Amino acid sequence: MILIHCPYCDEKRPEIEFANAGQAHVARPLDPSSQSDEEWEAYLFIRANPRGRHHERWRHVHGCGRFFNAVRDTVTDKFETTYKAGEPRR
Amino acid sequence: MTGYRLDNGGRIDRNRPVEFRFDGHSYQGFAGDTLASALLANGISLFGRSFKYHRPRGIMAAGSEEPNALISVDRGAGRFTPNLRATSVEIHAGLNAFSQNRWPSLKRDFGAINDRLGMFFPAGFYNKTFMWPRSFWEKLYEPAIRKMAGLGDAPTQEDPDIYASTYAHCDLLIVGAGPAGIDAALEAMGSNKRIILIDEQDELGGGALADPALWPWLERSRKALIDAPNVTILTRTTAFGYYHDNFIGAVQRLTDHSPDNSDSPREKLWRVRAGEVVLAQGAIERPLVFDGNDTPGVMLSSAAKVFGLRYGVAVGKSVALMAAHDSGWHDVFALAKAGVGIKAIIDVRTELSSALLDEASRLGINVHLNHSVTGVNGRHRVTSIQICNNDDYVGTRIDCDTLLMAGGWTPSVHLWSHSKGSLAWRDDIGAYVPDQPNENARCVGACSGGWDFGSGVIVDVLPTPKDQSRIKAFVDFQNDVTAKDIKLAVREGFRSIEHIKRYTTNGMATDQGKTSNLNGLQIASTALAKPVTDIGLTSFRPPYTPQTFGALAGHAKGALFQPTRTTNIDGWAAENGAVFELVAQWRRARYFPKMGEDMHAAVNRECVAVRSSVGIFDASTLGKIEVVGPDAAEFLNRMYTNPWKALEPGRCRYGLLLKEDGFITDDGVSARLAPDRFHLTTTTGGAARVLNMMEDYLQTEWPDLDVWLTSTTEQYAVIALQGPNARKLLEPLVEGIDLSADAFPHMAIREGTICGIPTRLFRVSFTGELGFEINVPTAYGRALWERLMAEGAKFDITPYGTEAMHVLRAEKGFIIVGQDTDGTITPFDAGLDWAVGKKKPDFVGKRSMARPDLVAPGRKQLVGLLTDDPNVVLQEGAQIVADPRQPIPMTMIGHVTSSYWSETLGRSIAFALVAGGHEMMGGTLYIPMPGKTHEAKVTGMVFYDAEGARLHV
Ligand SMILES: [Zn+2]
């Protein structure tokens, strides 16, 4: 069971306290109505599937409840880093 | 020597004889014996039948790597455990063990015909033979194969035992308490580290238990470790898996070794998080591959030493050794000195150290260098062996009752591999050893390849003059894979060991190839004429040895499998005969049958009572979220499809929630209590999901909004009073709220007290009748419910359950999200476009509602269905066709989502999702059901009081 560092609690906690919340840094367009069908499709459905570093969101759902971002290696399953929502991509 | 028990020696307690049973016969052993050692002492050599060929099999090893001697233990009703290794089962008074995979008896086994037909069962036999036709597989092949080939019987009764589990944290976890593991523990003992030392055997010592010279050291070390306050010792504990971040799973066996089935837990699952892990799992001796190497009486040399020196049992009276490694020589020297008759040593090598040769000569043991065993005589026990010279194949026969194999050693890198530590090949020992760690871990002792057993050579198959295609030289004993099978796989084109493994099933049995992987690799390497490192290595996966489901499940079974959520009123419902159903994790009253009523009768009565007087319903399970803050209205406006900003405090609104993809995900009536405070309700099953979704948007998309979300589901008991007499019942009990129609209209909320209890009183209706939902602090729920029942007696108040609730809401055309929608339904599909704020610039899901697919014609839409025969209640889930005369397979255009008998209407009603349904009003559709195809008219969804006259009173 992986240990995940919650950047809000500033503690490493077991993964059962967390829930994955999909790819990170997919911002909701500020004005969705201005989006073309293609742009909106890309926002809704098109996601990266990298071999290696992957930016994804996690929620410390059975802890502080906060959503945060993480860089996880999809090959080794190791977390490289975690950081607060709103902070720049690492 | 009595039987095969040596006159002295061993760690067994000769003052404590133990009676036990095997295959119905009584035997005697001593405390400290395993089932294997005790039966060997009684002269038993036949322990089981092999998986595929039903060949007689004996003991091959002395530890958990044993592939042959799988047995079942019966500890009474529901306590039947198959596939245990006889070498790991400690005997105790009353132990009742059985051999497996034989019928009618171990000695006369019908399945042994497979052995003579063996030429018809080559590698890939199942894949090749049983491919066609498909139906034959299910009906004929598989049942027949299951009966003939197999392991022990699965238990048939519920397991009455309890299993404990715990978490543990330590600075240093040591797996394996042989000399290397003990040394690691002693070395760290003086520090302030918290240390856990785990070993699968009943006592510490590992290999030292078979080396009497080490016993004084072992005893000193054991005492020191027990006395050390920072060392936790777990014996009879198997570290079965090594997971991320130094997380190790281990199962401790607590009671199986003792005679009584006490109430204490049978096993305990340890989840250990360690700072550092030291793996001292040792090494496993490798069998040699030759014709007849599976005959009972052929076993590992190291195993014979364990039986002799640890258990005081001679594995035979006349023992020969087939060696490719020095360690076998040392083993038989030790056995000879302990009184075991050693007949001969055969070694494939031509030159050996004079020290070994001199010792053999001193002990009077015949030595045959440059020789190999080419055949074994005896069916249920070795009677003699055939050996011959490796160069000229000149042979001779040696009479003996036991043949030991010393084929070298394989480091136990299982847990190291679980942890994704890398491996490096060592040509000198012909084995993979740990290389680079992936966790904070290291290997010590024999599992790192560091041992002092001497040297040897690696041979894949012993030289033989026989036709290689006609001999039975086993590699994987548990899955009955021979050297020939592996060569065949190579001939048929398999190149990677991963494929060869799956094709031949080598290493895929319950022992995961502990004794077979390396031999299989060597044989494939020779056949492919490629170095071992070029053909790959199969992965080791948890568990190291088979573990019980009980240990893994722990307490999470039966009533404790998952929590059952109950409301404050649940006890009343139970005491009053409610029939319950589970809705998400909630236990809800489905209906309240009176004497003699079935569900149908009870639900009809409950529905009529609501429509004619007043019904009472426990709605406490509704999800509730308190939304607070200056931006609360703005936030809800962005989340829900409807407009919220203009909603006045004191008023309620039906909210429809979409996901960003435009599909309905939840709904519920919510109230504005104050400009900055809302009381949201969600569906019972959707509460957690909705809160998660709202938190997501709030935290990550709109962190600028000043809003707080709090789950209040369990803070309120909610009692729905529904029916024309609801107000009359409520009025005298409520203070501070004017209940009159003008002052408190439909879709309003007021705060006040009821029976002195503070309440948030909603005037809402999910039934179409005048209705109220009374929210009070949870602890008051049942008290208020009982008061309402008492006060309502004059109105013949009737408790109703979820089933009546469903009928009542369906009569009114109200949908249940998740039943009438399926995650691909838009508000328009559901006929809920009225709930979409057309002027709102944005809300979650709005842009998606304009996606091409969501506005395309032919989407499935929610409609009402009225069967031509009013007495027919359609099956929910039944498929719908437009033309019943079309050829099969027919084109299904939709399905029934909700369907009930409406006592109020005196007929059946239904909802259905139908492609293009909104365009079909008045048309006829067909619903094929068992026995008959029914006709139904497409209608609107409101079947009762369409103008809402009953509501606005
Ligand atoms: Zn946290």
Side-chain angles (χ1 to χ4, degrees):
Chain A
M1 186 167 23
I2 303 173
L3 292 173
I4 299 174
H5 179 261
C6 172
Y8 293 96
C9 297
D10 198 16
E11 272 191 54
K12 269 193 165 185
R13 307 290 304 173
E15 66 177 281
I16 48 167
E17 293 184 12
F18 298 84
N20 183 286
Q23 186 177 331
H25 303 295
V26 182
R28 187 175 191 270
L30 288 175
D31 181 11
S33 63
S34 69
Q35 298 272 301
S36 69
D37 284 343
E38 290 71 27
E39 287 168 330
W40 191 247
E41 177 197 28
Y43 161 68
L44 273 186
F45 301 122
I46 309 303
R47 294 292 181 268
N49 185 19
R51 187 179 194 279
R53 287 182 101 234
H54 187 35
H55 290 76
E56 58 192 8
R57 306 188 319 139
W58 286 77
R59 185 181 184 204
H60 195 185
V61 62
H62 298 298
C64 63
R66 301 301 297 265
F67 286 84
F68 58 89
N69 294 325
V71 182
R72 184 177 60 92
D73 190 304
T74 58
V75 178
T76 64
D77 218 9
K78 286 196 172 168
F79 278 74
E80 181 184 307
T81 183
T82 57
Y83 51 101
K84 292 178 179 175
E87 289 181 6
R89 183 187 177 91
R90 290 190 186 169
Chain B
M1 191 159 88
T2 316
Y4 288 81
R5 184 74 72 179
L6 295 166
D7 289 337
N8 45 49
R11 298 176 70 81
I12 46 160
D13 186 347
R14 291 171 193 261
N15 296 317
R16 286 169 58 206
V18 173
E19 299 280 339
F20 66 97
R21 293 173 80 79
F22 180 64
D23 276 348
H25 298 282
S26 253
Y27 296 96
Q28 198 185 71
F30 292 117
D33 262 326
T34 62
L35 183 62
S37 68
L39 286 172
L40 285 171
N42 281 279
I44 302 293
S45 60
L46 180 59
F47 278 76
R49 290 275 172 175
S50 72
F51 181 71
K52 198 159 76 175
Y53 300 127
H54 287 243
R55 285 169 67 93
R57 290 282 168 81
I59 297 282
M60 186 172 95
S64 62
E65 71 273 23
E66 169 60 33
N68 288 335
L70 299 184
I71 53 97
S72 305
V73 170
D74 190 351
R75 293 178 300 122
R79 294 186 158 105
F80 181 86
T81 312
N83 305 331
L84 294 168
R85 293 155 302 279
T87 48
S88 299
V89 173
E90 298 169 46
I91 63 163
H92 56 76
L95 173 70
N96 195 15
F98 298 90
S99 60
Q100 301 181 162
N101 199 29
R102 79 288 189 266
W103 185 84
S105 76
L106 189 50
K107 284 202 171 149
R108 300 170 181 276
D109 172 37
F110 280 5
I113 189 79
N114 284 8
D115 190 22
R116 262 157 272 160
L117 299 178
M119 59 194 305
F120 301 120
F121 288 83
F125 170 74
Y126 297 139
N127 315 40
K128 289 169 184 162
T129 312
F130 298 123
M131 279 174 49
W132 183 91
R134 177 174 287 262
S135 63
F136 273 40
W137 178 254
E138 285 164 20
K139 289 182 184 139
L140 188 65
Y141 301 146
E142 191 179 339
I145 292 169
R146 287 240 176 270
K147 206 168 162 188
M148 290 296 287
L151 302 165
D153 298 325
T156 53
Q157 286 169 288
E158 192 176 330
D159 182 352
D161 281 316
I162 54 169
Y163 297 83
S165 67
T166 190
Y167 285 88
H169 298 81
C170 64
D171 302 297
L172 175 63
L173 172 70
I174 301 166
V175 179
I182 289 175
D183 275 344
L186 292 171
E187 191 185 308
M189 195 178 69
S191 69
N192 56 5
K193 288 179 180 169
R194 291 167 301 165
I195 301 167
I196 296 178
L197 176 61
I198 286 182
D199 196 276
E200 63 178 347
Q201 302 208 52
D202 59 322
E203 57 173 331
L204 301 183
L209 295 169
D211 193 344
L214 291 174
W215 289 354
W217 166 84
L218 182 57
E219 188 51 26
R220 281 196 310 276
S221 305
R222 194 181 66 87
K223 279 217 169 75
L225 292 171
I226 287 171
D227 290 345
N230 56 333
V231 178
T232 302
I233 297 172
L234 300 175
T235 52
R236 295 190 180 97
T237 304
T238 300
F240 62 81
Y242 192 141
Y243 305 91
H244 286 288
D245 289 324
N246 271 1
F247 189 71
I248 278 82
V251 170
Q252 183 179 21
R253 292 168 294 280
L254 299 168
T255 61
D256 273 10
H257 60 281
S258 68
D260 67 312
N261 291 325
S262 61
D263 290 339
S264 58
R266 180 188 177 206
E267 295 179 342
K268 184 174 183 177
L269 176 66
W270 289 76
R271 299 175 175 95
V272 185
R273 183 80 67 178
E276 186 192 6
V277 174
V278 168
L279 298 173
Q281 289 191 281
I284 293 171
E285 195 170 29
R286 226 181 283 183
L288 289 163
V289 182
F290 54 90
D291 192 17
N293 63 345
D294 67 327
T295 312
V298 181
M299 68 168 65
L300 296 173
S301 157
S302 56
K305 181 182 167 196
V306 171
F307 288 120
L309 300 181
R310 179 176 176 188
Y311 298 107
V313 175
V315 292
K317 301 193 175 178
S318 173
V319 177
L321 167 70
M322 177 68 238
H325 197 278
D326 294 350
S327 64
W329 292 64
H330 296 297
D331 292 338
V332 296
F333 295 160
L335 289 172
K337 287 170 191 164
V340 179
I342 305 297
K343 190 72 178 278
I345 296 177
I346 304 105
D347 200 304
V348 285
R349 295 171 289 179
T350 49
E351 282 178 31
L352 274 110
S353 75
S354 55
L356 291 176
L357 295 170
D358 291 350
E359 180 77 351
S361 146
R362 207 167 23 250
L363 291 165
I365 303 171
N366 288 328
V367 170
H368 305 267
L369 298 187
N370 195 29
H371 273 67
S372 299
V373 174
T374 59
V376 180
N377 301 311
R379 184 146 181 89
H380 291 167
R381 168 112 212 186
V382 175
T383 53
S384 65
I385 57 173
Q386 205 68 40
I387 70 167
C388 70
N389 185 289
N390 291 340
D391 298 327
D392 56 18
Y393 290 143
V394 171
T396 181
R397 198 183 75 174
I398 298 174
D399 291 329
C400 59
D401 63 1
T402 303
L403 175 63
L404 308 183
M405 303 180 281
W409 293 82
T410 306
S412 289
V413 296
H414 302 76
L415 289 188
W416 176 265
S417 293
H418 296 176
S419 79
K420 304 280 195 295
S422 70
L423 297 171
W425 176 257
R426 264 180 60 185
D427 253 333
D428 59 331
I429 58 172
Y432 281 101
V433 294
D435 191 15
Q436 295 303 312
N438 184 48
E439 301 274 2
N440 187 14
R442 59 193 165 95
C443 286
V444 297
C447 79
S448 67
W451 54 60
D452 51 6
F453 311 146
S455 61
V457 293
I458 299 298
V459 277
D460 55 354
V461 183
L462 289 184
T464 179
K466 293 180 177 173
D467 177 353
Q468 294 266 8
S469 69
R470 304 201 67 86
I471 63 173
K472 288 229 170 79
F474 284 88
V475 179
D476 183 326
F477 291 69
Q478 196 166 103
N479 261 356
D480 267 356
V481 180
T482 63
K484 184 177 61 181
D485 292 326
I486 294 171
K487 290 174 186 169
L488 177 66
V490 169
R491 265 209 315 283
E492 293 187 356
F494 293 94
R495 292 291 174 269
S496 154
I497 195 67
E498 289 283 3
H499 295 148
I500 294 169
K501 164 182 168 172
R502 279 159 184 77
Y503 191 57
T504 61
T505 72
N506 194 65
M508 289 174 69
T510 70
D511 64 350
Q512 290 199 46
K514 290 187 179 65
T515 54
S516 64
N517 280 342
L518 265 288
N519 279 339
L521 211 51
Q522 292 285 1
I523 292 166
S525 157
T526 305
L528 287 162
K530 277 183 178 177
V532 164
T533 45
D534 281 6
I535 53 177
L537 176 66
T538 57
S539 312
F540 295 100
R541 293 197 176 84
Y544 175 69
T545 53
Q547 302 301 327
T548 62
F549 284 112
L552 299 182
H555 295 295
K557 63 175 184 176
L560 298 179
F561 178 67
Q562 63 172 1
T564 300
R565 302 173 77 179
T566 54
T567 71
N568 191 256
I569 298 155
D570 179 84
W572 185 92
E575 290 160 28
N576 287 274
V579 174
F580 291 99
E581 67 171 342
L582 280 176
V583 180
Q585 288 183 324
W586 287 99
R587 186 171 95 139
R588 301 195 72 179
R590 192 173 182 195
Y591 56 99
F592 294 85
K594 289 190 169 174
M595 190 70 80
E597 278 184 338
D598 60 6
M599 182 172 96
H600 189 66
V603 171
N604 287 348
R605 174 180 50 74
E606 290 171 14
C607 288
V608 168
V610 171
R611 297 258 180 252
S612 60
S613 179
V614 63
I616 184 169
F617 177 71
D618 181 3
S620 305
T621 65
L622 276 183
K624 293 172 274 293
I625 301 169
E626 192 92 343
V627 181
V628 184
D631 296 321
E634 172 65 26
F635 176 69
L636 294 180
N637 212 48
R638 296 184 192 185
M639 291 303 304
Y640 284 98
T641 61
N642 348 37
W644 290 84
K645 286 181 171 173
L647 186 69
E648 288 169 24
R651 297 305 304 240
C652 302
R653 177 152 291 169
Y654 172 77
L656 188 61
L657 188 67
L658 310 184
K659 289 198 296 180
E660 200 65 271
D661 58 15
F663 297 133
I664 296 170
T665 187
D666 202 76
D667 69 349
V669 169
S670 300
R672 189 171 202 170
L673 295 157
D676 62 350
R677 181 177 294 267
F678 290 81
H679 177 125
L680 257 56
T681 71
T682 73
T683 57
T684 293
R689 187 179 66 238
V690 169
L691 182 60
N692 184 68
M693 174 177 167
M694 289 185 170
E695 279 289 348
D696 193 349
Y697 278 92
L698 187 56
Q699 290 183 30
T700 67
E701 300 293 354
W702 308 315
D704 52 308
L705 294 185
D706 192 356
V707 182
W708 296 88
L709 306 174
T710 307
S711 168
T712 51
T713 302
E714 295 185 344
Q715 308 309 310
Y716 292 100
V718 184
I719 299 172
L721 276 186
Q722 302 277 312
N725 286 321
R727 185 187 283 123
K728 274 185 256 173
L729 167 56
L730 213 48
E731 224 149 20
L733 307 176
V734 171
E735 287 182 338
I737 304 172
D738 180 352
L739 289 190
S740 67
D742 292 340
F744 192 17
H746 180 55
M747 294 297 269
I749 180 171
R750 298 289 181 267
E751 292 180 271
T753 60
I754 178 166
C755 305
I757 308 162
T759 181
R760 288 178 177 178
L761 184 62
F762 286 69
R763 190 182 156 187
V764 289
S765 173
F766 200 40
T767 61
E769 300 297 327
L770 168 65
F772 300 90
E773 288 183 3
I774 312 158
N775 288 251
V776 293
T778 294
Y780 292 100
R782 179 166 180 171
L784 178 60
W785 178 280
E786 288 178 350
R787 182 74 187 279
L788 290 167
M789 285 299 296
E791 299 291 331
K794 52 182 170 288
F795 303 109
D796 197 18
I797 188 170
T798 300
Y800 66 100
T802 51
E803 197 63 29
M805 179 269 283
H806 274 279
V807 177
L808 295 163
R809 63 92 194 175
E811 288 169 348
K812 286 295 296 175
F814 298 139
I815 66 161
I816 300 273
V817 172
Q819 175 171 342
D820 301 303
T821 70
D822 64 1
T824 66
I825 302 301
T826 68
F828 185 75
D829 298 338
L832 293 171
D833 26 335
W834 58 266
V836 177
K838 306 284 184 303
K839 289 181 213 146
K840 288 170 66 173
D842 188 21
F843 54 82
V844 174
K846 178 180 171 68
R847 172 62 184 83
S848 287
M849 289 171 67
R851 283 162 53 202
D853 284 348
L854 271 61
V855 295
R859 290 188 57 79
K860 284 191 181 168
Q861 294 164 333
L862 210 47
V863 295
L865 282 187
L866 288 174
T867 49
D868 284 8
D869 179 347
N871 291 314
V872 168
V873 180
L874 298 170
Q875 280 181 0
E876 288 178 353
Q879 296 291 317
I880 296 168
V881 300
D883 172 12
R885 285 171 297 278
Q886 64 185 301
I888 293 172
M890 297 188 188
T891 301
M892 307 295 181
I893 60 169
H895 71 276
V896 177
T897 62
S898 289
S899 178
Y900 309 98
W901 172 259
S902 165
E903 184 70 3
T904 303
L905 299 167
R907 61 154 300 132
S908 67
I909 55 171
F911 298 162
L913 277 170
V914 180
H918 291 167
E919 309 300 315
M920 295 181 179
M921 288 300 150
T924 300
L925 292 174
Y926 300 87
I927 301 96
M929 286 197 349
K932 190 163 192 285
T933 294
H934 299 287
E935 292 180 33
K937 287 275 176 306
V938 181
T939 71
M941 294 171 61
V942 185
F943 300 106
Y944 183 68
D945 187 29
E947 61 280 11
R950 304 181 65 83
L951 207 51
H952 300 282
V953 292

